[in-house]
Amino acid sequence: MNSDFNITIVGLGLIGGSYAMALKEELNPKNLWGVDIDAKTIETAKNMGIIDDGFKDAKIPLENSDIVIVSLYPELAIDFIKSNIQNFKRGAVITDTSGIKGKVVGEISSCLPDYLDFIGGHPMAGREAKGLSYASKDIFKNANYILTPTEKNKSENLALIKNIALTIGCSNVVSVDPESHDKIIAYTSGLPHLIAVSLVSCNNFGNTQKSFIGGGFRDTTRIAEINPDLWSELFISNKNNIIEQIDKFQSNLSILKTAIENEDMIKIKEIFDSASKKRSELNSNE
Amino acid sequence: MNSDFNITIVGLGLIGGSYAMALKEELNPKNLWGVDIDAKTIETAKNMGIIDDGFKDAKIPLENSDIVIVSLYPELAIDFIKSNIQNFKRGAVITDTSGIKGKVVGEISSCLPDYLDFIGGHPMAGREAKGLSYASKDIFKNANYILTPTEKNKSENLALIKNIALTIGCSNVVSVDPESHDKIIAYTSGLPHLIAVSLVSCNNFGNTQKSFIGGGFRDTTRIAEINPDLWSELFISNKNNIIEQIDKFQSNLSILKTAIENEDMIKIKEIFDSASKKRSELNSNE
C-alpha cells in the first residue's frame, strides 16, 4: 500500500495508541502525528517512537494531514470534528473508531463541507483497559473492522480506509449502514457487557465462594471489568437498541426459569440443544 | 500417598475417564477397575491402559474395592449406590463427582449401612463435552475440589479422599455442607450457563452479525455449548436455588435497564465501577 500520506491520530488512548503503533510498523506513513489533551501522553508517545510529533492544539497537524483518525469517545469525537472543521486540509479523509455509528455519522455528515469526507469506522478490537500504557499494535491482528459508509462517501476514500484496516492487521473489513451497526452491536457487544456486570453483582465473594469459581464463571464475567466512562456513554447513545436486546434476553431467561419451575425437562433440553448448536456455529471462526 | 488400594470408578465418561487417567498416572493404585454399561467404552479404556480391568456388572469390582468413585449423573449415581448396597466391601469409602450435593448426600446417607462411608464430592473441573474421548488427566490441574462432609463421615476417610484429590492435581480441597454447596453452585455454575444459553438464543447469526462478534461475546457464550442431559437434571434437582439466583440476576439487569432508559449516567457508572472492582478480586486467582 502507498504510504505517502500524512496521518494524524486524535486521542492517544488504548485504541488511538494501538493504531499509531500499528501504522508506524506496518505502513510507516510520510508523517504520523498525534493529538492529545495530555502533554504527558504526547511525551510518552514520542519517546516510544510511535508518533513523529505530538500536539495539544490540533490546527497544525490537521492542516497538513491527508487522513485523520479520531479515536475519542463518541461525544468528544463529534465535538472535536465540529470545532475543527476549518482546520482540516481540503480533500482530507476523516474516520473515527467509536462504538456507535448512527449518532456520530449523522451529526458529523450534516455539518461537513463537500471537500471533506467522513467515514464511520469501528475496529472490533480492544481490551478491558484504558490508556496508552495498554496499547498494543497486536490488538488488530485478525480482528474485524466495520465501516459504515453513506452515499456521501467517495469510493476511493472507502478503499483507502479499508486498505489501512487490512494493513494494520485486520482480517476482514465489513460495510454496513450506521443504523444496522448500532442494532447489531447492541447485541454482540452491549448486551454481553450488561450481562457480565449484572452477574458479578449478584453475590459477594467470600473465600468459600471463590473456591467454586471455575472457567465458566470467569469467562462469563470477564468483560465485567468495564470502563465506566466509555460504556455508560455507549449505552445511553444507543439506548433503544440496547433496551430491545435486554428485553429479548430477559424474555429468554424467563422462559427457561418457567421451564425449570415446571420441571419441564423436554422444554429445557430443547432450548439447550438449540443454543448449543447455535454457539457451535461460531467455532469455525474462533 | 499410600497407593495400596483397589479403586473402582463407576462411569467412564468425561469425568470418570479423566479420573482414571489421573489416578493411573499420579497414584497407580494396586488395582484400578472401571464399571460402565457400555462394553465399547470398557474396551477403549482397557486399550488405553487407564484401567486394569473393566466390568458391566459391578458386583465383583465393588466386593474388592476399598474406594469407589461414582462418576454418574446424580439420579443414576443414587440409583447405582442404592442397588449395589450389598456388593460394597465392608469399610469401603464411596464418593461421587456430581454437580449437586444436597439430594445425593441426603438420599444415599439415609440408606447406607454403618460399615460404609459415603462422602459427597465435586471436582470443579470439566469441559463442554461428554464422553471418554474427551477425557484428560489434566482437567484436575489446579482445579478446586469440593467435599460435602456430614457428621456420619469418618475423619480418616475424609482425609483419604482429600489426599486423592490433591494427588490427581487439584490445588485446593474445600469442605462445605451439602446445602451450602448447592446454594453456591447455583450462582457460580448454574446461572452462568443459563445466561450463556439465553444470550445465544436472542438472535440469529448471519454473516454480517458474525463480523461483529468479538472476544466479549465469545467468552460470555462459551458455556452455551451445554450438555443438555446433564444440565437439565442439575437444574431441576437444584431448582429453588437456581430460581433464587435467576431472580437476583434479573433484578440487577432490570435496574441497569431502568438507569439506561433514564439516561442516569451517575447510576450506570456506579454499577459498572462496583462490578469492575468485584470482578478484579478474582484476578489474583486466575
Side-chain angles (χ1 to χ4, degrees):
Chain A
M1 180 184 173
N2 177 15
S3 63
D4 194 27
F5 308 111
N6 292 332
I7 303 181
T8 288
I9 296 179
V10 183
L12 296 170
L14 171 71
I15 302 297
S18 302
Y19 223 131
M21 290 176 182
L23 283 171
K24 249 302 166 190
E25 177 142 331
E26 306 292 345
L27 184 64
N28 199 22
K30 191 160 75 177
N31 284 290
L32 181 58
W33 299 314
V35 171
D36 202 281
I37 50 170
D38 182 52
K40 213 166 150 211
T41 302
I42 291 171
E43 205 51 45
T44 307
K46 280 166 73 173
N47 291 342
M48 290 166 82
I50 63 172
I51 51 174
D52 298 316
D53 207 351
F55 303 82
K56 284 185 79 176
D57 188 322
K59 191 174 189 296
I60 292 170
L62 291 192
E63 280 175 347
N64 293 283
S65 292
D66 308 289
I67 299 166
V68 182
I69 300 165
V70 181
S71 205
L72 301 170
Y73 291 359
E75 287 296 341
L76 290 176
I78 293 168
D79 289 346
F80 176 86
I81 292 172
K82 281 184 174 177
S83 49
N84 279 283
I85 296 270
Q86 304 307 324
N87 292 328
F88 291 102
K89 178 177 169 183
R90 278 191 97 83
V93 182
I94 311 162
T95 189
D96 75 320
T97 61
S98 74
I100 48 146
K101 296 266 77 71
K103 181 177 189 183
V104 173
V105 171
E107 286 210 36
I108 292 168
S109 301
S110 61
C111 68
L112 218 62
D114 288 340
Y115 59 80
L116 294 174
D117 199 359
F118 175 75
I119 298 170
H122 184 189
M124 300 300 300
R127 309 168 81 176
E128 264 64 54
K130 64 192 241 189
L132 182 59
S133 48
Y134 290 97
S136 158
K137 61 176 176 57
D138 295 327
I139 67 168
F140 304 108
K141 290 263 181 309
N142 300 318
N144 289 314
Y145 203 112
I146 315 294
L147 294 180
T148 58
T150 66
E151 46 325 300
K152 287 189 173 188
N153 297 133
K154 296 195 174 81
S155 56
E156 61 268 26
N157 293 338
L158 286 165
L160 178 66
I161 301 301
K162 179 176 176 176
N163 278 335
I164 285 177
L166 295 169
T167 301
I168 61 172
C170 291
S171 54
N172 203 20
V173 181
V174 175
S175 292
V176 297
D177 64 274
E179 288 64 40
S180 295
H181 167 280
D182 292 351
K183 208 172 157 68
I184 298 170
I185 207 82
Y187 173 48
T188 61
S189 185
L191 184 57
H193 279 86
L194 295 173
I195 280 167
V197 163
S198 300
L199 177 54
V200 153
S201 309
C202 284
N203 296 292
N204 289 320
F205 302 136
N207 279 334
T208 307
Q209 285 83 349
K210 281 182 182 171
S211 311
F212 282 69
I213 283 168
F217 189 91
R218 288 182 191 283
D219 283 349
T220 322
T221 57
R222 197 173 306 282
I223 54 180
E225 284 207 74
I226 191 170
N227 174 338
D229 299 315
L230 172 62
W231 285 92
S232 51
E233 189 179 330
L234 290 176
F235 287 127
I236 288 175
S237 302
N238 197 18
K239 82 175 189 186
N240 292 340
N241 287 318
I242 290 289
I243 285 160
E244 186 185 326
Q245 291 304 318
I246 293 174
D247 287 344
K248 279 193 193 190
F249 172 84
Q250 290 197 299
S251 167
N252 284 345
L253 187 52
S254 294
I255 289 169
L256 255 177
K257 175 187 166 183
T258 302
I260 292 167
E261 268 168 330
N262 297 339
E263 301 191 21
D264 187 347
M265 201 168 262
I266 291 174
K267 180 76 181 164
I268 296 170
K269 285 190 193 186
E270 198 181 278
I271 294 172
F272 286 0
D273 227 354
S274 168
S276 194
K277 285 189 174 74
K278 229 171 159 200
R279 179 52 176 83
S280 67
E281 280 178 41
L282 300 182
N283 287 344
S284 50
N285 303 68
E286 222 150 357
Chain B
M1 178 182 173
N2 177 13
S3 63
D4 193 28
F5 307 112
N6 293 332
I7 303 181
T8 287
I9 296 180
V10 182
L12 297 169
L14 172 70
I15 301 297
S18 302
Y19 222 132
M21 291 176 181
L23 283 171
K24 249 300 167 192
E25 175 141 331
E26 306 293 345
L27 184 64
N28 198 22
K30 193 160 74 177
N31 284 289
L32 180 59
W33 299 313
V35 172
D36 201 282
I37 50 168
D38 182 52
K40 213 168 152 208
T41 301
I42 292 171
E43 204 52 44
T44 306
K46 281 166 72 173
N47 291 341
M48 289 166 83
I50 63 173
I51 52 173
D52 299 316
D53 206 351
F55 304 82
K56 284 184 79 175
D57 188 322
K59 190 173 190 296
I60 291 171
L62 291 192
E63 280 175 348
N64 294 284
S65 290
D66 307 290
I67 300 167
V68 182
I69 300 164
V70 182
S71 204
L72 301 171
Y73 291 0
E75 286 295 341
L76 289 175
I78 293 168
D79 289 345
F80 176 87
I81 292 171
K82 282 184 172 178
S83 50
N84 279 283
I85 296 271
Q86 303 308 324
N87 291 329
F88 291 103
K89 178 179 169 181
R90 279 192 96 84
V93 182
I94 310 163
T95 188
D96 75 320
T97 60
S98 74
I100 48 147
K101 296 267 74 74
K103 183 176 187 182
V104 173
V105 172
E107 286 209 37
I108 292 168
S109 301
S110 61
C111 68
L112 218 62
D114 288 341
Y115 59 80
L116 295 174
D117 200 358
F118 174 75
I119 298 170
H122 184 189
M124 300 300 300
R127 307 168 83 175
E128 265 64 56
K130 64 191 243 188
L132 181 60
S133 48
Y134 290 96
S136 159
K137 61 175 173 60
D138 295 327
I139 68 168
F140 303 108
K141 290 262 180 307
N142 300 319
N144 289 314
Y145 203 112
I146 315 295
L147 295 180
T148 57
T150 66
E151 49 319 303
K152 287 188 172 188
N153 297 134
K154 295 195 172 82
S155 55
E156 60 268 26
N157 293 338
L158 285 166
L160 177 65
I161 301 301
K162 180 176 174 175
N163 279 334
I164 285 178
L166 295 170
T167 302
I168 60 171
C170 291
S171 53
N172 202 19
V173 181
V174 175
S175 293
V176 297
D177 64 273
E179 287 66 38
S180 296
H181 166 279
D182 292 352
K183 208 173 159 66
I184 298 170
I185 207 82
Y187 174 48
T188 61
S189 184
L191 184 57
H193 280 85
L194 295 173
I195 281 166
V197 163
S198 300
L199 177 53
V200 152
S201 309
C202 285
N203 295 292
N204 288 320
F205 302 136
N207 280 333
T208 306
Q209 286 82 349
K210 281 182 183 171
S211 312
F212 282 68
I213 282 168
F217 190 90
R218 289 184 191 282
D219 283 349
T220 322
T221 57
R222 198 173 305 283
I223 54 179
E225 284 206 75
I226 192 171
N227 174 340
D229 299 314
L230 172 63
W231 285 92
S232 52
E233 189 180 330
L234 290 176
F235 286 127
I236 287 175
S237 303
N238 197 19
K239 82 175 187 187
N240 292 339
N241 287 318
I242 290 289
I243 284 159
E244 185 185 327
Q245 292 303 319
I246 292 173
D247 287 343
K248 278 193 193 188
F249 173 84
Q250 291 276 48
S251 167
N252 284 345
L253 187 52
S254 294
I255 288 169
L256 254 177
K257 175 186 166 183
T258 301
I260 292 168
E261 267 167 330
N262 296 339
E263 302 192 20
D264 188 348
M265 200 168 262
I266 291 173
K267 181 75 182 166
I268 297 170
K269 286 189 192 187
E270 197 181 278
I271 294 171
F272 286 0
D273 227 354
S274 168
S276 194
K277 285 186 173 75
K278 232 172 156 197
R279 179 53 177 83
S280 67
E281 282 177 42
L282 300 182
N283 287 346
S284 51
N285 303 70
E286 222 150 357

